[in-house]
Amino acid sequence: MNYYDQHLHTFLSFDSEEQFENYLVNQPEFFVATDHFDLENAGTGFKDDIPDYTRLTKKLAKLNEQYDTTFLRGIELGVVPGQEAKIQEYLATHTYDLKLLSIHQNGKFDYMDDIVLTKDKFAVAKMYFDQMSEVLDSFPDGHILTHFEYGLRRFDFTPEELESHFEKELITIFKKVIQRELAMEINAKSFGRYQNEKLYRYAIPLYQSLGGKLFTLGSDAHVAEDYRLLFPEMAHLLREFDVKQLVVFQGNDRFFTELP
């Protein structure tokens, strides 16, 4: 099995219009879209953004007739404390092979909203990491913790600032990730567009020093041309830290693959 993209979006996400077929030009062995699930989404006027499961099921059934690819069901779960029971209720009746665990918003604003620029960057980062830590305790589902630095993207943080201000919080978070056997994602949007490779250079060895071994790459594509975005560059970074394998999740099973 070759490693395949485990973080991308289609027209079933509120912020993408991309069609499955456009991702399938190269007919990959496996394909999984991880469309957004965000309750009371601060980014869309506090609406519940839930990907249409019936449309997904029908779409995958049709694609199965047209492609040799194995199609999996995926979802990106944005979790705010207080929403856990409602999300778990939904998941109890909707089956997914891959569940990404994400922190996007806090019930008042998305961490990418302009309002964060009116706040102290260290206060925003503390709020973000505290929320992530709480969710790792209170929400038991998921396979991969995505873009650990999402809440820092609107600011210019250095590795030295993370170490001096938030190493305690990150150690707590990574210990929980390891205990739960979640994977740590290297996110292409973080790595490239938001120029946070340096933060990964700090976080990866910290995670490893605590016993962390599970890594994934995710393009976070919202358009097909970003499929497998920066995979060679991100794989090169992991090799620098002697990472030799990535993990893929398929329901209760997980498999290890070579780096691309």
CSV table of all heavy atoms in Angstrom, one decimal, residues 61-118:
chain,number,residue,atom,x,y,z
A,61,ALA,N,-21.1,5.2,-4.1
A,61,ALA,CA,-21.6,4.0,-4.8
A,61,ALA,C,-21.4,4.2,-6.3
A,61,ALA,O,-21.1,3.2,-7.0
A,61,ALA,CB,-23.1,3.8,-4.4
A,62,LYS,N,-21.7,5.4,-6.8
A,62,LYS,CA,-21.5,5.7,-8.2
A,62,LYS,C,-20.1,5.6,-8.6
A,62,LYS,O,-19.7,5.0,-9.7
A,62,LYS,CB,-22.1,7.0,-8.6
A,62,LYS,CG,-22.0,7.4,-10.0
A,62,LYS,CD,-22.7,8.7,-10.3
A,62,LYS,CE,-22.6,9.1,-11.8
A,62,LYS,NZ,-23.3,10.4,-12.0
A,63,LEU,N,-19.2,6.2,-7.8
A,63,LEU,CA,-17.7,6.1,-8.2
A,63,LEU,C,-17.2,4.7,-8.1
A,63,LEU,O,-16.3,4.4,-8.9
A,63,LEU,CB,-17.0,7.0,-7.2
A,63,LEU,CG,-17.2,8.5,-7.3
A,63,LEU,CD1,-16.6,9.3,-6.1
A,63,LEU,CD2,-16.7,9.1,-8.6
A,64,ASN,N,-17.7,3.9,-7.2
A,64,ASN,CA,-17.3,2.5,-7.2
A,64,ASN,C,-17.5,1.8,-8.5
A,64,ASN,O,-16.8,0.8,-8.8
A,64,ASN,CB,-18.0,1.8,-6.0
A,64,ASN,CG,-17.2,1.8,-4.7
A,64,ASN,OD1,-16.0,1.6,-4.7
A,64,ASN,ND2,-17.9,2.1,-3.6
A,65,GLU,N,-18.5,2.2,-9.2
A,65,GLU,CA,-18.9,1.6,-10.5
A,65,GLU,C,-17.9,2.0,-11.6
A,65,GLU,O,-17.8,1.3,-12.6
A,65,GLU,CB,-20.3,1.9,-10.9
A,65,GLU,CG,-21.4,1.3,-9.9
A,65,GLU,CD,-22.8,1.7,-10.2
A,65,GLU,OE1,-22.9,2.6,-11.2
A,65,GLU,OE2,-23.7,1.3,-9.6
A,66,GLN,N,-17.3,3.2,-11.4
A,66,GLN,CA,-16.5,3.8,-12.5
A,66,GLN,C,-15.0,3.7,-12.3
A,66,GLN,O,-14.3,3.8,-13.2
A,66,GLN,CB,-16.9,5.3,-12.5
A,66,GLN,CG,-18.4,5.6,-12.8
A,66,GLN,CD,-18.7,7.0,-12.7
A,66,GLN,OE1,-18.2,7.7,-11.9
A,66,GLN,NE2,-19.6,7.5,-13.6
A,67,TYR,N,-14.5,3.4,-11.1
A,67,TYR,CA,-13.1,3.4,-10.8
A,67,TYR,C,-12.7,2.2,-10.0
A,67,TYR,O,-13.5,1.5,-9.3
A,67,TYR,CB,-12.7,4.6,-9.9
A,67,TYR,CG,-12.9,6.0,-10.5
A,67,TYR,CD1,-14.2,6.6,-10.5
A,67,TYR,CD2,-11.9,6.6,-11.2
A,67,TYR,CE1,-14.4,7.9,-11.1
A,67,TYR,CE2,-12.1,7.9,-11.8
A,67,TYR,CZ,-13.3,8.5,-11.7
A,67,TYR,OH,-13.5,9.7,-12.3
A,68,ASP,N,-11.4,1.8,-10.2
A,68,ASP,CA,-10.9,0.7,-9.5
A,68,ASP,C,-10.4,1.1,-8.1
A,68,ASP,O,-10.1,0.2,-7.3
A,68,ASP,CB,-9.7,0.1,-10.2
A,68,ASP,CG,-10.1,-0.6,-11.5
A,68,ASP,OD1,-11.2,-1.1,-11.6
A,68,ASP,OD2,-9.3,-0.6,-12.5
A,69,THR,N,-10.5,2.3,-7.8
A,69,THR,CA,-10.1,2.9,-6.5
A,69,THR,C,-11.0,2.3,-5.4
A,69,THR,O,-12.2,2.1,-5.6
A,69,THR,CB,-10.2,4.4,-6.5
A,69,THR,OG1,-9.3,4.9,-7.5
A,69,THR,CG2,-9.9,5.0,-5.2
A,70,THR,N,-10.4,2.1,-4.2
A,70,THR,CA,-11.1,1.8,-3.0
A,70,THR,C,-11.5,3.1,-2.3
A,70,THR,O,-10.6,3.8,-1.9
A,70,THR,CB,-10.3,0.9,-2.1
A,70,THR,OG1,-10.0,-0.4,-2.7
A,70,THR,CG2,-11.1,0.6,-0.8
A,71,PHE,N,-12.8,3.3,-2.1
A,71,PHE,CA,-13.3,4.5,-1.5
A,71,PHE,C,-13.6,4.3,-0.1
A,71,PHE,O,-14.3,3.4,0.3
A,71,PHE,CB,-14.5,5.1,-2.3
A,71,PHE,CG,-14.2,5.5,-3.7
A,71,PHE,CD1,-14.3,4.7,-4.8
A,71,PHE,CD2,-13.7,6.8,-3.9
A,71,PHE,CE1,-14.0,5.1,-6.0
A,71,PHE,CE2,-13.3,7.2,-5.2
A,71,PHE,CZ,-13.5,6.4,-6.3
A,72,LEU,N,-13.1,5.2,0.8
A,72,LEU,CA,-13.4,5.2,2.2
A,72,LEU,C,-14.2,6.5,2.6
A,72,LEU,O,-14.1,7.5,1.9
A,72,LEU,CB,-12.0,5.2,2.9
A,72,LEU,CG,-11.1,4.1,2.6
A,72,LEU,CD1,-9.7,4.3,3.2
A,72,LEU,CD2,-11.6,2.7,3.0
A,73,ARG,N,-14.9,6.4,3.7
A,73,ARG,CA,-15.6,7.5,4.2
A,73,ARG,C,-14.8,8.2,5.3
A,73,ARG,O,-14.3,7.6,6.2
A,73,ARG,CB,-16.9,7.1,4.8
A,73,ARG,CG,-18.0,6.6,3.8
A,73,ARG,CD,-19.3,6.2,4.6
A,73,ARG,NE,-20.4,5.9,3.7
A,73,ARG,CZ,-20.6,4.8,3.1
A,73,ARG,NH1,-19.8,3.7,3.4
A,73,ARG,NH2,-21.6,4.6,2.3
A,74,GLY,N,-14.7,9.5,5.1
A,74,GLY,CA,-13.9,10.3,6.1
A,74,GLY,C,-14.6,11.6,6.5
A,74,GLY,O,-15.6,12.0,5.9
A,75,ILE,N,-14.2,12.1,7.6
A,75,ILE,CA,-14.8,13.3,8.1
A,75,ILE,C,-13.8,14.1,9.0
A,75,ILE,O,-12.9,13.5,9.6
A,75,ILE,CB,-16.1,13.0,9.0
A,75,ILE,CG1,-16.9,14.2,9.3
A,75,ILE,CG2,-15.7,12.3,10.3
A,75,ILE,CD1,-18.3,13.9,9.8
A,76,GLU,N,-13.9,15.4,9.0
A,76,GLU,CA,-13.1,16.3,9.8
A,76,GLU,C,-14.0,16.9,10.9
A,76,GLU,O,-14.8,17.7,10.6
A,76,GLU,CB,-12.3,17.4,9.0
A,76,GLU,CG,-11.4,18.2,10.0
A,76,GLU,CD,-10.7,19.3,9.2
A,76,GLU,OE1,-10.8,19.4,8.0
A,76,GLU,OE2,-9.8,20.0,9.9
A,77,LEU,N,-13.8,16.5,12.1
A,77,LEU,CA,-14.6,16.9,13.2
A,77,LEU,C,-14.0,18.1,13.9
A,77,LEU,O,-13.0,18.0,14.6
A,77,LEU,CB,-14.8,15.7,14.2
A,77,LEU,CG,-15.4,14.4,13.6
A,77,LEU,CD1,-15.1,13.3,14.6
A,77,LEU,CD2,-16.9,14.6,13.4
A,78,GLY,N,-14.6,19.2,13.8
A,78,GLY,CA,-14.3,20.4,14.6
A,78,GLY,C,-15.0,20.3,15.9
A,78,GLY,O,-16.2,20.3,15.9
A,79,VAL,N,-14.3,20.3,17.0
A,79,VAL,CA,-14.9,20.1,18.3
A,79,VAL,C,-14.7,21.3,19.2
A,79,VAL,O,-13.6,21.8,19.4
A,79,VAL,CB,-14.3,18.8,19.0
A,79,VAL,CG1,-15.1,18.6,20.3
A,79,VAL,CG2,-14.4,17.6,18.1
A,80,VAL,N,-15.8,21.8,19.8
A,80,VAL,CA,-15.8,22.8,20.8
A,80,VAL,C,-16.4,22.2,22.1
A,80,VAL,O,-17.3,21.4,22.0
A,80,VAL,CB,-16.8,24.0,20.4
A,80,VAL,CG1,-16.9,25.0,21.5
A,80,VAL,CG2,-16.2,24.6,19.1
A,81,PRO,N,-15.7,22.4,23.2
A,81,PRO,CA,-16.2,21.9,24.5
A,81,PRO,C,-17.7,22.2,24.7
A,81,PRO,O,-18.2,23.3,24.4
A,81,PRO,CB,-15.4,22.5,25.5
A,81,PRO,CG,-14.1,22.8,24.8
A,81,PRO,CD,-14.5,23.2,23.4
A,82,GLY,N,-18.5,21.2,25.1
A,82,GLY,CA,-19.9,21.3,25.2
A,82,GLY,C,-20.7,20.6,24.1
A,82,GLY,O,-21.9,20.4,24.2
A,83,GLN,N,-20.0,20.4,23.0
A,83,GLN,CA,-20.6,19.8,21.8
A,83,GLN,C,-20.4,18.2,21.7
A,83,GLN,O,-21.0,17.6,20.8
A,83,GLN,CB,-20.1,20.4,20.5
A,83,GLN,CG,-20.3,21.8,20.3
A,83,GLN,CD,-19.7,22.4,19.1
A,83,GLN,OE1,-18.9,21.7,18.4
A,83,GLN,NE2,-20.1,23.6,18.7
A,84,GLU,N,-19.6,17.7,22.6
A,84,GLU,CA,-19.2,16.3,22.5
A,84,GLU,C,-20.3,15.3,22.4
A,84,GLU,O,-20.3,14.4,21.5
A,84,GLU,CB,-18.3,15.9,23.7
A,84,GLU,CG,-17.0,16.7,23.8
A,84,GLU,CD,-17.1,18.0,24.7
A,84,GLU,OE1,-18.3,18.4,24.9
A,84,GLU,OE2,-16.1,18.5,25.1
A,85,ALA,N,-21.3,15.4,23.2
A,85,ALA,CA,-22.4,14.5,23.2
A,85,ALA,C,-23.2,14.5,21.9
A,85,ALA,O,-23.6,13.4,21.4
A,85,ALA,CB,-23.4,14.7,24.4
A,86,LYS,N,-23.4,15.7,21.4
A,86,LYS,CA,-24.2,15.8,20.1
A,86,LYS,C,-23.4,15.2,19.0
A,86,LYS,O,-24.0,14.6,18.1
A,86,LYS,CB,-24.5,17.3,19.9
A,86,LYS,CG,-25.5,17.5,18.7
A,86,LYS,CD,-25.9,18.9,18.6
A,86,LYS,CE,-26.9,19.1,17.4
A,86,LYS,NZ,-27.3,20.5,17.3
A,87,ILE,N,-22.1,15.4,19.0
A,87,ILE,CA,-21.2,14.9,17.9
A,87,ILE,C,-21.2,13.4,18.0
A,87,ILE,O,-21.4,12.6,17.0
A,87,ILE,CB,-19.8,15.4,18.0
A,87,ILE,CG1,-19.8,17.0,17.8
A,87,ILE,CG2,-18.9,14.8,16.9
A,87,ILE,CD1,-18.5,17.6,18.0
A,88,GLN,N,-21.1,12.8,19.2
A,88,GLN,CA,-21.0,11.4,19.4
A,88,GLN,C,-22.4,10.7,19.0
A,88,GLN,O,-22.4,9.6,18.5
A,88,GLN,CB,-20.7,11.0,20.8
A,88,GLN,CG,-19.2,11.3,21.1
A,88,GLN,CD,-18.8,10.9,22.6
A,88,GLN,OE1,-18.8,11.8,23.4
A,88,GLN,NE2,-18.6,9.6,22.8
A,89,GLU,N,-23.5,11.4,19.3
A,89,GLU,CA,-24.8,11.0,18.9
A,89,GLU,C,-24.9,10.8,17.4
A,89,GLU,O,-25.4,9.9,16.8
A,89,GLU,CB,-25.9,11.9,19.4
A,89,GLU,CG,-27.3,11.5,19.1
A,89,GLU,CD,-28.3,12.5,19.6
A,89,GLU,OE1,-27.9,13.4,20.4
A,89,GLU,OE2,-29.5,12.3,19.3
A,90,TYR,N,-24.3,11.8,16.7
A,90,TYR,CA,-24.3,11.8,15.2
A,90,TYR,C,-23.4,10.6,14.7
A,90,TYR,O,-23.9,9.8,13.8
A,90,TYR,CB,-23.8,13.1,14.6
A,90,TYR,CG,-23.6,13.1,13.1
A,90,TYR,CD1,-24.7,13.4,12.3
A,90,TYR,CD2,-22.4,12.7,12.5
A,90,TYR,CE1,-24.6,13.4,10.9
A,90,TYR,CE2,-22.3,12.7,11.2
A,90,TYR,CZ,-23.4,13.0,10.4
A,90,TYR,OH,-23.2,13.0,9.0
A,91,LEU,N,-22.3,10.4,15.3
A,91,LEU,CA,-21.3,9.4,14.8
A,91,LEU,C,-21.9,8.0,15.1
A,91,LEU,O,-21.5,7.0,14.4
A,91,LEU,CB,-20.0,9.6,15.5
A,91,LEU,CG,-19.2,10.8,15.1
A,91,LEU,CD1,-17.9,10.9,15.9
A,91,LEU,CD2,-18.9,10.8,13.6
A,92,ALA,N,-22.8,7.9,16.1
A,92,ALA,CA,-23.3,6.6,16.5
A,92,ALA,C,-24.2,6.0,15.3
A,92,ALA,O,-24.4,4.8,15.2
A,92,ALA,CB,-24.1,6.7,17.7
A,93,THR,N,-24.7,6.9,14.5
A,93,THR,CA,-25.6,6.4,13.4
A,93,THR,C,-25.0,6.7,12.0
A,93,THR,O,-25.7,6.6,11.0
A,93,THR,CB,-26.9,7.1,13.5
A,93,THR,OG1,-26.8,8.5,13.5
A,93,THR,CG2,-27.6,6.6,14.8
A,94,HIS,N,-23.7,7.2,11.9
A,94,HIS,CA,-23.1,7.5,10.7
A,94,HIS,C,-21.7,6.9,10.7
A,94,HIS,O,-20.8,7.4,11.5
A,94,HIS,CB,-23.0,9.0,10.4
A,94,HIS,CG,-24.4,9.6,10.3
A,94,HIS,ND1,-25.2,9.9,11.4
A,94,HIS,CD2,-25.1,10.0,9.2
A,94,HIS,CE1,-26.3,10.5,11.0
A,94,HIS,NE2,-26.3,10.5,9.7
A,95,THR,N,-21.4,6.0,9.9
A,95,THR,CA,-20.1,5.3,10.0
A,95,THR,C,-19.0,5.9,9.1
A,95,THR,O,-19.3,6.3,7.9
A,95,THR,CB,-20.3,3.8,9.5
A,95,THR,OG1,-21.2,3.2,10.3
A,95,THR,CG2,-19.0,3.0,9.6
A,96,TYR,N,-17.8,6.1,9.7
A,96,TYR,CA,-16.7,6.7,8.9
A,96,TYR,C,-15.5,5.8,9.2
A,96,TYR,O,-15.2,5.3,10.2
A,96,TYR,CB,-16.4,8.1,9.4
A,96,TYR,CG,-17.5,9.1,9.0
A,96,TYR,CD1,-18.5,9.4,9.9
A,96,TYR,CD2,-17.5,9.7,7.7
A,96,TYR,CE1,-19.5,10.3,9.5
A,96,TYR,CE2,-18.5,10.6,7.4
A,96,TYR,CZ,-19.5,10.9,8.2
A,96,TYR,OH,-20.5,11.8,7.9
A,97,ASP,N,-14.7,5.7,8.1
A,97,ASP,CA,-13.4,5.0,8.2
A,97,ASP,C,-12.3,5.8,8.7
A,97,ASP,O,-11.3,5.2,9.3
A,97,ASP,CB,-13.0,4.5,6.8
A,97,ASP,CG,-14.1,3.6,6.1
A,97,ASP,OD1,-14.3,2.5,6.6
A,97,ASP,OD2,-14.7,4.1,5.1
A,98,LEU,N,-12.4,7.1,8.6
A,98,LEU,CA,-11.3,8.0,9.0
A,98,LEU,C,-11.9,9.2,9.6
A,98,LEU,O,-12.8,9.9,9.0
A,98,LEU,CB,-10.4,8.4,7.8
A,98,LEU,CG,-9.4,9.5,8.1
A,98,LEU,CD1,-8.3,9.0,9.1
A,98,LEU,CD2,-8.7,9.9,6.8
A,99,LYS,N,-11.5,9.5,10.9
A,99,LYS,CA,-12.0,10.7,11.6
A,99,LYS,C,-10.9,11.6,12.0
A,99,LYS,O,-10.0,11.2,12.8
A,99,LYS,CB,-12.9,10.3,12.8
A,99,LYS,CG,-14.2,9.6,12.4
A,99,LYS,CD,-14.9,9.0,13.5
A,99,LYS,CE,-14.5,7.6,13.7
A,99,LYS,NZ,-15.4,6.8,14.6
A,100,LEU,N,-10.8,12.8,11.5
A,100,LEU,CA,-9.8,13.8,11.9
A,100,LEU,C,-10.4,14.6,13.0
A,100,LEU,O,-11.6,14.9,13.0
A,100,LEU,CB,-9.5,14.7,10.7
A,100,LEU,CG,-9.1,14.1,9.4
A,100,LEU,CD1,-8.8,15.2,8.4
A,100,LEU,CD2,-8.0,13.1,9.5
A,101,LEU,N,-9.6,14.9,14.0
A,101,LEU,CA,-9.9,15.7,15.2
A,101,LEU,C,-9.3,17.0,15.0
A,101,LEU,O,-8.1,17.1,15.0
A,101,LEU,CB,-9.5,15.0,16.4
A,101,LEU,CG,-9.8,15.6,17.8
A,101,LEU,CD1,-11.3,15.8,17.9
A,101,LEU,CD2,-9.3,14.8,18.9
A,102,SER,N,-10.1,18.1,15.0
A,102,SER,CA,-9.6,19.4,14.7
A,102,SER,C,-10.2,20.4,15.7
A,102,SER,O,-11.3,20.3,16.2
A,102,SER,CB,-10.0,19.9,13.3
A,102,SER,OG,-9.4,19.1,12.4
A,103,ILE,N,-9.4,21.5,16.0
A,103,ILE,CA,-9.9,22.6,16.8
A,103,ILE,C,-9.8,23.8,15.9
A,103,ILE,O,-8.8,24.3,15.5
A,103,ILE,CB,-9.0,22.9,18.0
A,103,ILE,CG1,-8.8,21.6,18.9
A,103,ILE,CG2,-9.5,24.0,18.8
A,103,ILE,CD1,-10.1,21.1,19.4
A,104,HIS,N,-11.0,24.3,15.5
A,104,HIS,CA,-11.1,25.4,14.5
A,104,HIS,C,-11.6,26.7,15.2
A,104,HIS,O,-11.2,27.8,14.9
A,104,HIS,CB,-12.1,25.1,13.4
A,104,HIS,CG,-11.6,24.0,12.5
A,104,HIS,ND1,-12.4,22.9,12.1
A,104,HIS,CD2,-10.4,23.9,11.8
A,104,HIS,CE1,-11.7,22.2,11.3
A,104,HIS,NE2,-10.5,22.7,11.1
A,105,GLN,N,-12.6,26.6,16.1
A,105,GLN,CA,-13.2,27.7,16.7
A,105,GLN,C,-13.6,27.4,18.2
A,105,GLN,O,-13.6,26.2,18.6
A,105,GLN,CB,-14.5,28.1,15.9
A,105,GLN,CG,-15.4,26.9,15.7
A,105,GLN,CD,-16.8,27.1,16.3
A,105,GLN,OE1,-17.0,28.2,17.0
A,105,GLN,NE2,-17.7,26.1,16.2
A,106,ASN,N,-14.0,28.4,18.9
A,106,ASN,CA,-14.2,28.2,20.4
A,106,ASN,C,-15.6,28.5,20.8
A,106,ASN,O,-15.9,28.7,21.9
A,106,ASN,CB,-13.3,29.1,21.2
A,106,ASN,CG,-13.4,30.6,20.9
A,106,ASN,OD1,-14.4,31.0,20.2
A,106,ASN,ND2,-12.5,31.4,21.3
A,107,GLY,N,-16.5,28.6,19.8
A,107,GLY,CA,-17.9,28.9,20.0
A,107,GLY,C,-18.2,30.4,20.0
A,107,GLY,O,-19.4,30.8,19.9
A,108,LYS,N,-17.2,31.2,19.9
A,108,LYS,CA,-17.3,32.7,19.7
A,108,LYS,C,-16.7,33.2,18.4
A,108,LYS,O,-17.3,34.0,17.8
A,108,LYS,CB,-16.7,33.4,20.9
A,108,LYS,CG,-17.4,33.0,22.2
A,108,LYS,CD,-16.7,33.8,23.4
A,108,LYS,CE,-17.4,33.4,24.7
A,108,LYS,NZ,-16.7,34.1,25.9
A,109,PHE,N,-15.5,32.6,18.1
A,109,PHE,CA,-14.9,33.0,16.9
A,109,PHE,C,-14.0,31.9,16.4
A,109,PHE,O,-13.6,31.0,17.2
A,109,PHE,CB,-14.0,34.3,17.1
A,109,PHE,CG,-13.0,34.2,18.2
A,109,PHE,CD1,-11.8,33.6,18.0
A,109,PHE,CD2,-13.3,34.7,19.4
A,109,PHE,CE1,-10.8,33.5,19.0
A,109,PHE,CE2,-12.3,34.7,20.4
A,109,PHE,CZ,-11.1,34.1,20.2
A,110,ASP,N,-13.8,31.8,15.1
A,110,ASP,CA,-12.8,30.9,14.5
A,110,ASP,C,-11.4,31.5,14.8
A,110,ASP,O,-11.2,32.7,14.7
A,110,ASP,CB,-13.1,30.8,13.0
A,110,ASP,CG,-12.2,29.6,12.4
A,110,ASP,OD1,-11.0,29.8,12.3
A,110,ASP,OD2,-12.8,28.6,12.1
A,111,TYR,N,-10.5,30.6,15.0
A,111,TYR,CA,-9.1,31.1,15.3
A,111,TYR,C,-8.4,31.7,14.1
A,111,TYR,O,-7.3,32.3,14.2
A,111,TYR,CB,-8.3,30.0,15.9
A,111,TYR,CG,-8.7,29.6,17.3
A,111,TYR,CD1,-9.5,28.5,17.5
A,111,TYR,CD2,-8.3,30.4,18.4
A,111,TYR,CE1,-9.8,28.1,18.8
A,111,TYR,CE2,-8.6,30.0,19.7
A,111,TYR,CZ,-9.4,28.9,19.9
A,111,TYR,OH,-9.8,28.6,21.1
A,112,MET,N,-9.1,31.6,12.9
A,112,MET,CA,-8.6,32.3,11.7
A,112,MET,C,-9.3,33.6,11.5
A,112,MET,O,-8.9,34.4,10.5
A,112,MET,CB,-8.7,31.4,10.5
A,112,MET,CG,-7.7,30.2,10.5
A,112,MET,SD,-6.0,30.8,10.2
A,112,MET,CE,-6.1,31.3,8.5
A,113,ASP,N,-10.3,34.0,12.3
A,113,ASP,CA,-11.1,35.2,12.0
A,113,ASP,C,-10.2,36.4,12.4
A,113,ASP,O,-9.3,36.4,13.2
A,113,ASP,CB,-12.3,35.2,12.9
A,113,ASP,CG,-13.4,34.3,12.4
A,113,ASP,OD1,-13.3,33.8,11.3
A,113,ASP,OD2,-14.4,34.0,13.2
A,114,ASP,N,-10.6,37.6,11.7
A,114,ASP,CA,-9.8,38.8,12.0
A,114,ASP,C,-9.9,39.3,13.4
A,114,ASP,O,-9.0,40.0,13.9
A,114,ASP,CB,-10.4,39.9,11.1
A,114,ASP,CG,-10.0,39.7,9.6
A,114,ASP,OD1,-9.1,38.9,9.3
A,114,ASP,OD2,-10.7,40.4,8.8
A,115,ILE,N,-10.9,38.9,14.1
A,115,ILE,CA,-11.0,39.3,15.5
A,115,ILE,C,-9.8,38.9,16.4
A,115,ILE,O,-9.5,39.6,17.3
A,115,ILE,CB,-12.3,38.8,16.2
A,115,ILE,CG1,-12.6,39.5,17.5
A,115,ILE,CG2,-12.3,37.3,16.3
A,115,ILE,CD1,-14.0,39.2,18.1
A,116,VAL,N,-9.2,37.8,16.0
A,116,VAL,CA,-8.0,37.4,16.8
A,116,VAL,C,-6.9,38.4,16.8
A,116,VAL,O,-6.1,38.5,17.7
A,116,VAL,CB,-7.5,36.0,16.4
A,116,VAL,CG1,-8.6,35.0,16.5
A,116,VAL,CG2,-6.9,36.0,15.1
A,117,LEU,N,-6.9,39.2,15.7
A,117,LEU,CA,-5.8,40.2,15.6
A,117,LEU,C,-6.0,41.4,16.5
A,117,LEU,O,-5.1,42.2,16.7
A,117,LEU,CB,-5.8,40.7,14.1
A,117,LEU,CG,-5.4,39.7,13.1
A,117,LEU,CD1,-5.5,40.3,11.7
A,117,LEU,CD2,-4.1,39.0,13.3
A,118,THR,N,-7.1,41.5,17.2
A,118,THR,CA,-7.4,42.5,18.2
A,118,THR,C,-7.0,42.0,19.6
A,118,THR,O,-7.1,42.8,20.5
A,118,THR,CB,-8.9,42.9,18.2
A,118,THR,OG1,-9.7,41.9,18.7
A,118,THR,CG2,-9.3,43.3,16.8
